[in-house]
Amino acid sequence: MIARRTLKTMSLALMIGLGFFAQAKTSHAQQLETLTVAGGCFWCVEADFEKVKGVKEAVSGFAGGTTANPTYKQVTGGNTGHYEAVQITFDPAQVQVETLLSMFFRSVDPTDAGGQFCDRGASYRTAIFATPSQVNAAEAAKAQAQADLGKTVVTPVLQANTFFPADSYHQDYYKQSSVVFTRFGPKSKAKAYKAYRNACGRDATVRALWGSAAPFAGS
């Protein structure tokens, strides 16, 4: 009888422990937040922010337009109103949204209203798609960027709306080994990404604009 009671007590303790563990995991998952930004080529923005401690995932996609489930060709064609955007999922216990916004401004040219670097057109413009709780932080980060540069920052703070992930071809482009044919010849996606980023002048421009404050230049 004692042995049976002890076994029952141990089983109950185990169930309680597993319940607390599951609750803790759920609680942690519920604490994750998202920030959606547009900074020109979404391959580059995704690659930059996935290096940040506390960022759990960065997904390339489209935001800001009116076309549902747009294709890459439609967006770059300029008829959807969408920007190339990246949705960043992060743990606010590890990195605050204010830090991510500051890093974002210093990873782009927020004075350029016509696109970013070698990529021109509406879909390559910069923007922040802020949730209601992020608007004040986004506006403050924009004001600080403008004060630091001494130039007009044209990056708008827009209301967050539906984010449409791009197809799998564009996800994690910067670290894929599959071979694609480029103007540089056949290369793995990872090497093609590096060649594109260098040829587009992204890091050189950001470094010239922000100096040592640029968090990702050269990455």
Side-chain angles (χ1 to χ4, degrees):
M1 179 66 73
I2 295 176
R4 187 178 301 172
R5 187 179 302 165
T6 300
L7 181 60
K8 185 176 180 180
T9 302
M10 289 175 62
S11 298
L12 181 60
L14 179 60
M15 290 176 64
I16 293 172
L18 289 172
F20 278 126
F21 177 73
Q23 185 178 10
K25 286 190 67 176
T26 302
S27 176
H28 182 71
Q30 290 173 343
Q31 290 175 359
L32 297 181
E33 298 179 12
T34 61
L35 170 67
T36 303
V37 296
C41 168
F42 51 20
W43 299 341
C44 298
V45 179
E46 178 188 343
D48 286 344
F49 280 92
E50 285 197 339
K51 297 179 178 73
V52 177
K53 183 179 180 181
V55 169
K56 303 305 179 183
E57 184 182 32
V59 176
S60 290
F62 313 105
T66 56
T67 301
N69 300 308
T71 65
Y72 179 79
K73 185 176 182 179
Q74 286 176 318
V75 172
T76 55
N79 297 319
T80 66
H82 284 293
Y83 296 67
E84 282 199 17
V86 172
Q87 188 168 82
I88 303 163
T89 300
F90 64 99
D91 184 347
Q94 294 184 282
V95 60
Q96 296 183 333
V97 70
E98 290 83 0
T99 300
L100 295 175
L101 288 164
S102 177
M103 296 175 84
F104 165 70
F105 274 111
R106 287 153 188 79
S107 66
V108 296
D109 180 357
T111 69
D112 187 348
Q116 284 291 286
F117 317 109
C118 67
D119 293 316
R120 314 311 301 166
S123 64
Y124 292 107
R125 293 172 297 165
T126 59
I128 297 168
F129 299 94
T131 63
S133 65
Q134 294 171 343
V135 170
N136 288 343
E139 293 288 4
K142 177 177 178 176
Q144 187 61 59
Q146 185 161 289
D148 290 349
L149 286 177
K151 300 178 181 180
T152 301
V153 168
V154 299
T155 304
V157 177
L158 305 175
Q159 181 179 350
N161 59 4
T162 304
F163 174 81
F164 298 97
D167 60 73
S168 59
Y169 175 87
H170 294 287
Q171 306 300 336
D172 293 322
Y173 194 96
Y174 72 100
K175 58 185 178 183
Q176 289 190 31
S177 59
S178 55
V179 175
V180 292
F181 291 93
T182 73
R183 61 182 171 132
F184 311 105
K187 291 181 177 291
S188 68
K189 284 185 178 180
K191 289 183 178 179
Y193 162 76
K194 282 287 188 181
Y196 154 76
R197 183 169 180 140
N198 183 59
C200 200
R202 187 182 187 100
D203 294 323
T205 302
V206 169
R207 194 180 294 112
L209 188 65
W210 290 103
S212 60
F216 306 119
S219 64

